[in-house]
Amino acid sequence: MLATKSIIPSVNRRLAIPNSTKSSFVVGSSFGSSTSASLAKTACSIQQKRTLATETGEPTTPTGTANEKVNGTRRSQFSKKLAGGPDFEDFVVGTKEPMTTAQVMQRMTPKGRVRLPEWLKTDIPVGNNVNSIRKTLRGLNLHTVCEEARCPNIGECWGGGEHRTATATIMIMGDTCTRGCRFCAVKTSRTPAALDPNEPVNVAKALATWGLDYVVITSVDRDDLADLGAGHFAKTVTEVKARAPQMMVETLAPDFQGRDELINQVAVSGLDVFAHNIETVENLQRYVRDHRAGYKQSMHTLEYAKKCRPSLLTKSSIMLGVGEKDDEVLQTLKDLRAANVDIVTLGQYMQPTKRHMKVHEYITPEKYKHWEEVGKELGFLYAASGPLVRSSYKAGEFFIKNILQKRAEASALKSQQQQQAGVADTITIQGQNTTSPNVVKETSTSI
């Protein structure tokens, strides 16, 4: 009895048995052969009446020829509807004219992401110099920000480019940062590995063998260290200058939490250019950078480095395309000049991975040209502005190298002139000393 009650409803649901058929069953009686036969017969009749989901549900004609005519009519009707139906443009919102291929690809970009424009596409880095630098890096267990931050200019910088000024940016103090800025591809950890005591010497050896004209030494933030890595940084610069005194050295330094004694330690280590990036406008600092960094703290770092060595070139960089406004960019440039920053670079932010903050906008080359002109008007010694410009961009380094060389030549010429003037003064003084006794004698004789 219980088994019969549980089976009948499920059978009814599966076979969709009509009410007239259901009434013929006697609940509580056992299934006999006549009941099983009745169920099978009902199932067969229902199976024959089933139609495809695309069909209209009209009764099926048992005659084969008539059935083919009906199917043919339906196919022709479907073809007519398809031919007169909507095109691709009807499914795209906000367009009336036919779309170009570029427009279609733009609409196909995943939601929330802006498609990479043509002016930001670069060639894959190749060449003998590129391979040589990579091989040396692996052999000495060194890192470059060029690779870690996935810089698009790596081929141009390492290969020398149009000016044949080969450059590289070495990243010291490991490949793991204690801060987590939303734009940066460098690994982060609260407790990175201990510093390598041999790193300053290894860096100096590598740079001396590469034959570079200009090198940028940068580092991860090491808030876990007592001196925040300032001593290690200064020692690396000293070692490089000792082995390659002709090489121009720029340091892209952390903010050292704004501590003056640590900033001074790096600023007087023998470098040629002190760089620290402001990264973005003041309003977006907390959105873009780690909470331990800050607009005023970065401005102080640049300003104090200049105070430590007034002859030192100072440099900073701004990323565009993260949501900043024009008036905010202008104010940031003015603030940098007020902090006596000599060189500024402006470049496009490019999302390293899907885990990082998205690109808000791709700035056009014309806009970058505008900011370059503004930089010159504000009195920067040099302003590099372009989609692929980075804080250690090699075209800027070529220019900076020329500035440093001219300064060195002017200093040498001045020193030479002072020496010559000193010799002339000595000769004059000696001449006066040799003639004075005679004058005295003559005077005494006359008297």
Side-chain angles (χ1 to χ4, degrees):
M1 289 291 291
L2 292 176
T4 305
K5 289 182 181 180
S6 61
I7 290 174
I8 291 176
S10 62
V11 172
N12 291 344
R13 283 195 299 269
R14 282 200 308 270
L15 300 180
I17 300 174
N19 292 330
S20 59
T21 307
K22 292 180 186 178
S23 62
S24 63
F25 293 112
V26 180
V27 178
S29 63
S30 59
F31 282 106
S33 58
S34 59
T35 306
S36 300
S38 176
L39 279 174
K41 185 177 180 181
T42 305
C44 291
S45 64
I46 293 173
Q47 185 70 25
Q48 290 175 358
K49 291 180 181 180
R50 291 184 63 185
T51 58
L52 295 176
T54 54
E55 294 177 351
T56 59
E58 297 175 357
T60 306
T61 308
T63 309
T65 305
N67 190 27
E68 291 175 0
K69 289 180 180 180
V70 171
N71 290 336
T73 304
R74 288 172 182 165
R75 278 195 293 268
S76 62
Q77 290 175 351
F78 179 76
S79 299
K80 289 178 181 179
K81 287 182 179 180
L82 188 62
D87 293 330
F88 174 74
E89 289 83 0
D90 295 319
F91 292 94
V92 181
V93 179
T95 179
K96 295 181 179 179
E97 299 297 327
M99 298 178 68
T100 63
T101 305
Q103 290 173 326
V104 173
M105 294 301 293
Q106 180 74 18
R107 294 297 181 91
M108 290 175 66
T109 304
K111 185 178 180 181
R113 302 184 187 278
V114 187
R115 194 169 184 82
L116 191 70
E118 288 296 326
W119 62 77
L120 284 172
K121 297 179 181 179
T122 58
D123 297 329
I124 297 174
V126 292
N128 295 332
N129 208 35
V130 173
N131 294 330
S132 174
I133 290 176
R134 276 204 176 114
K135 186 176 180 180
T136 309
L137 288 169
R138 300 294 92 78
L140 294 174
N141 192 29
L142 299 177
H143 308 277
T144 66
V145 75
C146 314
E147 292 178 300
E148 297 294 335
R150 306 183 184 186
C151 180
N153 301 314
I154 186 170
E156 184 183 0
C157 290
W158 288 10
E162 57 177 321
H163 299 299
R164 297 296 174 223
T165 307
T167 60
T169 302
I170 296 292
M171 189 168 71
I172 61 175
M173 297 196 285
D175 62 348
T176 305
C177 186
T178 53
R179 299 186 184 180
C181 298
R182 298 189 64 210
F183 65 89
C184 187
V186 177
K187 293 182 291 185
T188 62
S189 173
R190 292 182 180 178
T191 55
L195 296 181
D196 179 5
N198 299 319
E199 186 176 51
V201 175
N202 287 340
V203 169
K205 287 180 179 179
L207 295 178
T209 59
W210 285 346
L212 298 174
D213 304 287
Y214 193 103
V215 65
V216 180
I217 300 176
T218 188
S219 76
V220 293
D221 282 282
R222 292 301 300 261
D223 299 293
D224 59 314
L225 302 176
D227 69 344
L228 309 180
H232 192 88
F233 212 126
K235 185 179 180 181
T236 303
V237 175
T238 304
E239 291 287 348
V240 171
K241 279 294 188 179
R243 285 172 171 76
Q246 79 288 350
M247 187 181 296
M248 304 296 176
V249 177
E250 173 186 327
T251 60
L252 180 54
D255 56 23
F256 298 114
Q257 296 180 2
R259 292 168 56 180
D260 293 348
E261 72 279 9
L262 302 182
I263 298 170
N264 177 76
Q265 192 172 355
V266 176
V268 300
S269 61
L271 51 87
D272 300 290
V273 180
F274 182 94
H276 173 70
N277 291 341
I278 197 68
E279 304 297 4
T280 187
V281 298
E282 186 172 12
N283 188 44
L284 295 176
Q285 289 284 319
R286 293 301 299 271
Y287 171 71
V288 173
R289 304 175 75 187
D290 186 272
H291 69 277
R292 285 162 288 187
Y295 189 82
K296 293 181 180 179
Q297 185 167 279
S298 291
M299 286 292 179
H300 172 76
T301 300
L302 290 162
E303 189 173 16
Y304 192 78
K306 191 76 168 181
K307 289 180 180 178
C308 296
R309 276 184 58 195
S311 61
L312 189 65
L313 287 176
T314 51
K315 176 181 174 184
S316 193
S317 182
I318 305 172
M319 291 184 303
L320 299 182
V322 297
E324 70 287 336
K325 298 177 182 178
D326 286 356
D327 59 332
E328 294 175 328
V329 176
L330 179 60
Q331 186 59 52
T332 304
L333 292 172
K334 289 180 178 179
D335 291 343
L336 288 172
R337 278 304 298 137
N340 293 318
V341 173
D342 301 298
I343 301 161
V344 66
T345 62
L346 298 95
Q348 174 68 52
Y349 165 65
M350 297 172 68
Q351 186 181 16
T353 70
K354 292 182 179 180
R355 297 191 305 272
H356 294 80
M357 68 176 186
K358 296 177 182 178
V359 176
H360 183 271
E361 179 186 6
Y362 285 118
I363 310 300
T364 62
E366 293 76 20
K367 193 67 175 181
Y368 283 108
K369 186 65 177 176
H370 163 74
W371 289 123
E372 184 176 336
E373 295 299 325
V374 170
K376 292 178 182 178
E377 292 173 2
L378 290 175
F380 285 100
L381 188 61
Y382 178 63
S385 180
L388 292 174
V389 169
R390 293 296 180 267
S391 58
S392 54
Y393 185 54
K394 71 160 305 299
E397 288 151 8
F398 172 76
F399 186 86
I400 295 167
K401 179 188 173 186
N402 287 343
I403 294 174
L404 294 172
Q405 286 178 341
K406 287 179 181 178
R407 281 191 174 184
E409 291 171 1
S411 178
L413 180 61
K414 185 177 180 180
S415 178
Q416 185 178 0
Q417 289 174 347
Q418 289 176 348
Q419 289 178 357
Q420 291 175 352
V423 171
D425 291 341
T426 303
I427 294 174
T428 303
I429 292 171
Q430 288 177 352
Q432 289 175 353
N433 290 338
T434 54
T435 56
S436 343
N438 295 332
V439 172
V440 172
K441 285 180 181 179
E442 289 173 2
T443 306
S444 60
T445 303
S446 62
I447 292 174

